[in-house]
Amino acid sequence: MNPKHTPPLPGGEYVHQGEPVTPPLPPGVKTVRFSAVGDGGPGPLLPRVTKSKKRKPVLPTLDEIAQLPRLARVAFANRCALRVQPLVQLDAGAEDVVGDAAVAILRAATDPRDLAHFRRDFERLMRLVKENGWTDGTPVSLEVFGPMWPKTRVPKWAKETNKPQG
Amino acid sequence: MFEVVVFLACRRATPEGPRGPGATLRLPYTLEGVTYTFQIDDPAAEPPFGLDEIWLYLRFFRRRGTAFVRREFGLRVLAVNDDGSRTLVPYPAGSASRAPYSLGNVPFPAKQPVVSWPFPIRNLVFPSRGQYEFRLLVRRRKPSWRGAWWSYVGSHFIALE
């Protein structure tokens, strides 16, 4: 409960003496006496107090992508292809554009965290689909995804260079 | 604003020391029967078990803010099942509401960053022997002051044999 072990602010102490309201005991329930018997003895471990966070795979799975409406799927595939355009020209109509794009990044990137942007794009799209009730016929612009990379975290391979080609 | 540094259950909390004007504000308490395991005295007793009272002791450390504020606290009692899942124990007993039981407002006075609060929970009905969780919650207000919700503060477990 106190992992930092930082002291409280300077000052005094206050002991609150308010008692919560006592609710009545339902009829028929027998009141029992009980004793404190100590903490010793074997027993099961205490359960977790907080839920463990469910972690999703880095790349959205084909099943997850299939849940998107048709034009949202197309927009997502285009976005993935555009993301790796500095590395490779991908066909946005291919079956597993996300996988192909991920492989292209892994072959070029020094930091595999670049892959997390696929998941980020997918989650953003999924949220917009749910919030706005998009259907298969709803046109989806690529602008809904926002900037391709955060300003301060553009991967080296994605930066434009003026290096002479060939 | 505050942090719970002590949250425990005990058989009883008794005030001690000189009483008088001003003294009650920092009255020390003696906690009796501080334990994890509580045993029902009559081994032949059949559930449900009505407990006349069990005391909870809380100590808060204030980390920031110096103004006088009040916070409303709530309590949920949960039975811990064998698989770790929880089942709500109604409190007040027999209540159909799933809302936390309001423990009332606790003042956090200015320039008194350590706040202690011993209080009894009376007429609690446990459905069986086993492990139980006392879950402390605080009522937080939205920044817009339109609505409030209960936010988790801390838990304490006891075993009833």
Side-chain angles (χ1 to χ4, degrees):
Chain A
M1 264 192 250
N2 184 15
K4 292 178 190 167
H5 300 291
T6 48
L9 293 168
E13 179 186 0
Y14 165 70
V15 178
H16 184 53
Q17 296 180 54
E19 291 189 4
V21 180
T22 300
L25 202 62
V29 175
K30 193 180 169 191
T31 305
V32 293
R33 295 182 60 81
F34 68 104
S35 314
V37 293
D39 298 339
L45 290 173
L46 289 173
R48 283 185 71 97
V49 172
T50 52
K51 283 183 184 172
S52 56
K53 198 178 174 185
K54 279 188 182 172
R55 302 191 71 135
K56 293 180 178 174
V58 177
L59 297 180
T61 62
L62 292 177
D63 287 343
E64 284 178 300
I65 295 169
Q67 291 172 13
L68 290 170
R70 190 172 60 86
L71 293 181
R73 274 200 306 273
V74 172
F76 183 60
N78 282 325
R79 171 77 165 183
C80 294
L82 275 176
R83 189 176 288 285
V84 292
Q85 205 174 34
L87 296 172
V88 63
Q89 296 291 327
L90 287 182
D91 175 14
E95 191 184 351
D96 187 13
V97 189
V98 184
D100 295 343
V103 170
I105 289 181
L106 284 174
R107 285 195 175 128
T110 52
D111 187 354
R113 280 182 293 180
D114 296 344
L115 297 178
H117 293 279
F118 292 116
R119 167 62 67 183
R120 213 165 291 164
D121 284 345
F122 175 78
E123 294 296 337
R124 182 183 178 86
L125 198 55
M126 200 53 138
R127 181 172 55 80
L128 289 170
V129 166
K130 283 182 183 165
E131 281 177 4
N132 304 317
W134 289 351
T135 60
D136 281 345
T138 309
V140 180
S141 157
L142 286 176
E143 289 171 6
V144 300
F145 294 104
M148 189 67 81
W149 303 102
K151 274 182 188 170
T152 55
R153 276 191 55 84
V154 181
K156 201 173 178 182
W157 57 264
K159 283 180 183 164
E160 287 181 12
T161 60
N162 56 0
K163 202 165 64 175
Q165 300 286 315
Chain B
M1 189 204 88
F2 61 81
E3 185 180 351
V4 177
V5 290
V6 178
F7 181 13
L8 53 82
C10 59
R11 187 68 190 86
R12 194 178 304 280
T14 314
E16 62 171 75
R19 302 194 186 205
T24 54
L25 290 178
R26 46 187 304 175
L27 199 60
Y29 272 74
T30 297
L31 305 181
E32 302 168 23
V34 179
T35 184
Y36 163 65
T37 310
F38 293 91
Q39 195 171 52
I40 294 163
D41 289 349
D42 179 8
E46 292 290 325
F49 308 110
L51 256 59
D52 52 352
E53 67 174 24
I54 186 168
W55 284 71
L56 299 179
Y57 181 84
L58 289 165
R59 173 163 287 175
F60 304 96
F61 276 8
R62 199 164 175 175
R63 304 290 187 203
R64 57 191 169 86
T66 51
F68 176 93
V69 290
R70 287 178 191 276
R71 288 286 181 269
E72 184 186 359
F73 287 89
L75 184 76
R76 270 201 180 109
V77 184
L78 302 139
V80 181
N81 304 320
D82 291 340
D83 60 355
S85 61
R86 317 288 206 277
T87 305
L88 185 69
V89 176
Y91 187 70
S95 162
S97 169
R98 293 189 62 82
Y101 183 71
S102 175
L103 299 172
N105 287 304
V106 176
F108 288 83
K111 295 181 182 176
Q112 285 174 322
V114 180
V115 174
S116 303
W117 185 29
F119 61 94
I121 298 294
R122 295 197 173 98
N123 293 345
L124 180 60
V125 177
F126 288 118
S128 62
R129 291 177 169 87
Q131 207 175 31
Y132 289 90
E133 177 183 357
F134 291 101
R135 194 174 285 182
L136 184 72
L137 304 126
V138 67
R139 203 160 176 81
R140 295 198 191 281
R141 290 207 166 274
K142 291 182 178 172
S144 61
W145 289 86
R146 290 179 187 164
W149 76 98
W150 289 104
S151 171
Y152 174 84
V153 176
S155 286
H156 181 67
F157 292 86
I158 64 162
L160 196 65
E161 288 182 345

